[in-house]
Amino acid sequence: MNQHRHTALEDVHALLIGSSFIAVGLTLLKAAGLVTGGVAGVALIVSYLGGWPVGTVFFLLNLPFYVLAQRTMGWSFTFKTLVTNLLLAGLAFGMPYWLKVERVDPIFSAVFGGTIIGMGILALARHRSSVGGVGVLALYLHERRGVSAGKVQMAADCLVVLAAFFTIPFDKLLLSIASAVALSAVIIANHKPGRYAGY
């Protein structure tokens, strides 16, 4: 099994790519006025309500989940998750300067934005990292109990999206649900117990 383990350089590459995918996906969702699930979705909702930077809110909301990550997944996972969140905070801060989205079709944003966020989360999960929040619990249940990480993620994501009912219009709420489903579909289809032996 050791011959399949990722090298440190491969881990660094995955964290950079995964974080970049998520940052771009969040940029598309925000440009369309949509939300997504998990802590990222909560950060978007808070950003809409208070006008605070998504990256900063995302990082602060994740702080309590580092304790859960350390107790359930170990120090290596926790460290990589912290690095991932710092990367996301930095990327989210820089995205308005690097990627100016003046107009985006909401349906495209929902499907593609959700999918690319899912791909980013998948890259992180396969290198023993996460974006924190529910993702920590989902990966723990996946590894220790054989529960589908995608299904856990989808259930939590739908709850977060529904919490945006009073924040965004109904049509955007429906598209946000579609985005959460697109995100979780990537995890359900590609991250199953016993399928991957890279760590």
Side-chain angles (χ1 to χ4, degrees), residues 21-84:
F21 278 11
I22 294 168
V24 170
L26 289 175
T27 299
L28 290 174
L29 293 181
K30 186 166 185 181
L34 306 180
V35 299
T36 189
V39 175
V42 176
L44 280 171
I45 294 171
V46 172
S47 175
Y48 292 146
L49 291 174
W52 296 296
V54 177
T56 303
V57 176
F58 181 84
F59 181 77
L60 293 174
L61 287 174
N62 255 316
L63 290 177
F65 291 99
Y66 296 128
V67 177
L68 175 64
Q70 192 280 317
R71 291 182 177 178
T72 59
M73 303 294 285
W75 282 109
S76 176
F77 176 88
T78 305
F79 175 73
K80 289 180 184 177
T81 297
L82 174 61
V83 170
T84 296

Side-chain angles (χ1 to χ4, degrees), residues 36-39 134 152-162 180 183-184:
T36 189
V39 175
V134 177
V152 173
Q153 190 76 49
M154 183 182 291
D157 288 352
C158 287
L159 288 175
V160 172
V161 170
L162 289 174
L183 186 163
S184 297

Side-chain angles (χ1 to χ4, degrees), residues 3 20 24 33 36 41 64 67 72 88 92 106 117 129 138 172 197:
Q3 63 182 334
S20 299
V24 170
T36 189
V67 177
T72 59
L88 276 172
I117 291 172
S129 183
K172 292 189 176 182

